[in-house]
Amino acid sequence: MGAFGFAFVSLPVVAVLCFTCFAAFRAQQRRVSKVLSHVFLATGLLCVLAPIGLVGAIWLTL
């Protein structure tokens, strides 16, 4: 049950944090900031899509 709590509560919170950092770094003018913004975007998308993938995996096994 702890894994479900992590997947459905913690990961969306981390995703919101990553999207906020993405927006902040995207607004900067330096090239390093642009690269970091894409890293945060990819991490945020991964955190958002992980619970959906977990539900899909459980649904396929039933």
Side-chain angles (χ1 to χ4, degrees):
M1 284 298 177
F4 288 121
F6 177 75
F8 291 106
V9 176
S10 299
L11 286 179
V13 171
V14 172
V16 169
L17 179 68
C18 286
F19 290 142
T20 304
C21 290
F22 163 72
F25 277 110
R26 187 72 179 158
Q28 302 298 318
Q29 296 297 323
R30 295 187 177 155
R31 182 168 173 82
V32 175
S33 296
K34 300 286 184 183
V35 172
L36 278 174
S37 71
H38 291 304
V39 169
F40 279 115
L41 177 63
T43 306
L45 288 174
L46 181 69
C47 290
V48 165
L49 295 176
I52 296 169
L54 183 63
V55 169
I58 291 171
W59 182 72
L60 286 175
T61 59
L62 295 179

